Amino acid sequence: MAKARQDLFFQIRRAYYGLQLARRFSTMLEDGKTLVGDRLKDMDEAREFGDADFKVKDYRKLQIFSAELETRALENKKLITIAIAGMEYLTGERWVLAQVPPLDIETKPAPLKTLAECQAIASDSRPELAQLQGAVRAREAQLRLTQAEYFPNLFVAMDFRYGFSTESI
């Protein structure tokens, strides 16, 4: 039950942060489309007036890049739709893109933890890790038992008797 709850929490967080990233990526794509579109308009005007100082190859490359930006924008809209549907499915509530705050890119990210700290956190919060560690210990004990069977079983016994009697024979 705890594992299922943790998995659900992880899926919700992944959809939420994916939505934030997609939203930020969308604004970046729009900025890029604006810049490329403006440059294409300038190139079109320069071609019409005959004072073009660029090669046709460069113009075509910019047109291809503009179409690629459009494709990326459509893919990003698809990802936003999928993330919103995931959030609605996982939480059972209606979600709109405006509900999710934009990704804060101004603040510094938290410092990364060391590998040992991450492993300690994982072992504390993941019950299946304790189960797996128990399984590993059981397999190691089974291995030691199997290795012990390679050696012969030796049995050493001694018997010592001493008797004393008052009668003489």
Side-chain angles (χ1 to χ4, degrees), residues 16-17 19-21 23-24 27 100-110:
Y16 182 81
Y17 289 124
L19 199 52
Q20 280 188 321
L21 283 173
R23 187 174 179 184
R24 179 65 184 158
T27 58
V100 179
L103 185 65
D104 185 19
I105 58 172
E106 301 299 324
T107 59
K108 286 187 175 181

Side-chain angles (χ1 to χ4, degrees), residues 96-152:
V96 184
L97 186 59
Q99 284 178 282
V100 179
L103 185 65
D104 185 19
I105 58 172
E106 301 299 324
T107 59
K108 286 187 175 181
L112 295 176
K113 297 184 183 305
T114 64
L115 178 62
E117 290 173 332
C118 291
Q119 287 174 339
I121 291 170
S123 65
D124 290 343
S125 62
R126 305 281 305 262
E128 67 269 14
L129 286 180
Q131 292 173 343
L132 289 173
Q133 287 172 350
V136 167
R137 285 192 301 273
R139 287 290 184 184
E140 288 172 349
Q142 190 177 20
L143 177 66
R144 285 192 303 273
L145 182 64
T146 304
Q147 287 173 340
E149 290 177 2
Y150 287 129
F151 300 109

